[in-house]
Amino acid sequence: MVGERATDEYCYTRTQMEGDRLPLPPSLEERSQRSSISSTGPRTLDVVVYLINDTEVRLTVDNLPSATALELHRLVRDALRLPECALEVFSLWLVSPLLEVQLKPKHQPYKVCRQWHELLNRFTSGSEYDIYEDEPSLQLRRNVFFPKKKELQIQDEGVLQLLYEEAKYNILEGRYPCDPADCEMLGALVCRLSLGPCDPDRHTACFLKEKLDSFLPSHLCRRGHGLFSALWKRGARPPAYEQGLLHAYQMVPEDRACEENPALQRHYHAYLQKCHELPYYGCAFFSGEIDKPVQGILHRGGRKAISVAISLEGVYIIDSKEKHVLLGLHFQELSWDHTFPSEEEHILWLEFDGENEGTAVNKLLKVYSKQAELMSGLIEYCIELNATAEGGTQDQAGSPAPPSEPPSPPTRRQHPKLQRQNSVLCSRIQHLSTIDYIDDGKEIRRVKPRRTASFFGRQLSSVPASYSAVRGSENLEQG
């Protein structure tokens, strides 16, 4: 971590999470804070921590109101018999349908629960009834700040299984948009891990059809009704996804000489490695809206629901309905800011390079969300965290290498894979309603630019950035 200020900005709630500083209405104070917490004595409480697959880990905790997230995390680790590294890989989260909060080690989950409705009022647009009825559950999830490159070094089967279960959940729920061909490959590994090696006599397309939503994202396996369902029951040809899944399942490599536990570990690694190709793997997710491009002679617009995914690497805008990326930016490719022209209309501004009719411009995207403050804080913290990590790497590079270490053999250069046309991973800037502008030092002029200073001062400055602003010119047309 790089300091208390930056750390507090990410953890969604800043100082109000540190204790009972925000008074709650009497009606909320009297409510049970969480149904999974029950008293067993004057100072002892039973606590349920959920895994991503709804498995319950039951704990008995002394003096729960003052227990920290780190203390509860250690109890969960001991109950699951996980190694010490699990404290770095995972974190405790408070999760509800309206809000998700990753807790810092020093936070006190019980006190944060008592502040929950205040947090919902501040950071969500839920109705008064929804906020009143909402209750968080305490969950063990992947730590947003755990680097992907360290994941594949993990050998403990219990840790790998938890990472696999969370990745699978996010794939099946459509939170991680994925191309159909990759969904089939990942689904085949799920088949192998849950059903064992493929048995041609037992594992048929009809067999997989009955459990298709356990292997493929729900939006890919929505089944027809009426006539289509009747034809299917009479022996109509199975949908292509079931056939593709079966073929991929049959192609999962097997080593007959390998015992089952090492084989499972190999398949967990394969699943995670495939998920690492998704740029939003391991991200924190926020809800928001963006403007739709104006269409038709009536210039109808409106707003589109999106998810904003933020990781140590960048920011990704995902279409919540269509399950594809609208915009993906690394931190060195953007500037950003957070404004709130009204208490109900918080905006995260993203500024990046683009084109307008073949000419370079600066583009501004407005993300409307009451969680814009959280997004801005997390972007800033991730940039600072990366700068600290890069500084440590440079210090190690400057020290002499141990003489006993033999030089490593040259590795074969890995060429990046060509991205499929129309892949869900490709940015769709043409689907965005952006403000295209240049700054000539006197006024902001829209359209037809070349490069100068950024509209925002907040951007990555510790490493060379590919983003640059557009310079004004006397002969440019004013939009």
Side-chain angles (χ1 to χ4, degrees), residues 287-291 303-306 308 345 366-369:
S287 59
E289 294 179 323
I290 59 173
D291 293 316
R303 292 184 181 177
K304 177 192 294 287
I306 58 159
V308 181
E345 191 84 318
K366 297 169 67 174
V367 178
Y368 305 92
S369 174

Side-chain angles (χ1 to χ4, degrees), residues 184 205-206 208-209 212 216 220-224 228 232 236-246:
E184 290 175 355
C206 292
L208 296 180
K209 166 187 173 291
L212 197 61
L216 296 177
L220 289 185
C221 52
R222 295 188 183 114
R223 296 168 186 171
F228 183 83
W232 165 253
R237 185 177 179 182
Y241 288 132
E242 295 170 21
Q243 295 285 30
L245 177 63
L246 178 60

Side-chain angles (χ1 to χ4, degrees), residues 18 33 62 78 110 142 176 204 259 312 365 392:
E18 299 302 333
Q33 293 301 318
D62 294 329
D78 293 342
Y110 181 85
R142 188 186 186 280
Y176 291 169
T204 62
E259 296 183 0
L312 289 171
L365 178 68

Side-chain angles (χ1 to χ4, degrees), residues 121-163:
N121 278 311
R122 181 177 177 183
F123 295 121
T124 76
S125 300
S127 67
E128 184 177 349
Y129 176 80
D130 289 339
I131 289 176
Y132 181 81
E133 290 295 317
D134 192 75
E135 289 187 358
S137 62
L138 195 59
Q139 294 189 13
L140 186 71
R141 289 191 177 186
R142 188 186 186 280
N143 177 8
V144 169
F145 305 118
F146 186 69
K148 290 191 291 187
K149 62 184 179 182
K150 296 179 67 174
E151 255 191 24
L152 297 181
Q153 301 172 7
I154 297 172
Q155 299 300 321
D156 183 82
E157 184 178 335
V159 173
L160 287 173
Q161 184 176 3
L162 289 175
L163 289 170

Side-chain angles (χ1 to χ4, degrees), residues 299-354:
H299 297 283
R300 291 179 177 174
R303 292 184 181 177
K304 177 192 294 287
I306 58 159
S307 294
V308 181
I310 302 175
S311 71
L312 289 171
E313 299 171 358
V315 181
Y316 304 91
I317 307 297
I318 299 172
D319 190 313
S320 300
K321 180 180 178 181
E322 301 298 332
K323 308 298 182 186
H324 59 218
V325 173
L326 293 170
L327 180 66
L329 297 169
H330 290 98
F331 291 130
Q332 60 267 32
E333 297 174 320
L334 63 86
S335 295
W336 87 99
D337 206 353
H338 160 236
T339 62
F340 40 99
S342 70
E343 203 165 313
E344 296 298 320
E345 191 84 318
H346 286 246
I347 298 173
L348 178 72
W349 296 85
L350 297 176
E351 182 188 32
F352 56 97
D353 285 343

Side-chain angles (χ1 to χ4, degrees), residues 433-453:
S433 176
T434 59
I435 300 171
D436 299 348
Y437 83 98
I438 61 169
D439 185 353
D440 62 6
K442 298 179 182 178
E443 61 179 345
I444 293 177
R445 300 196 299 170
R446 297 190 179 185
V447 202
K448 317 274 177 157
R450 281 190 207 171
R451 316 231 131 237
T452 182

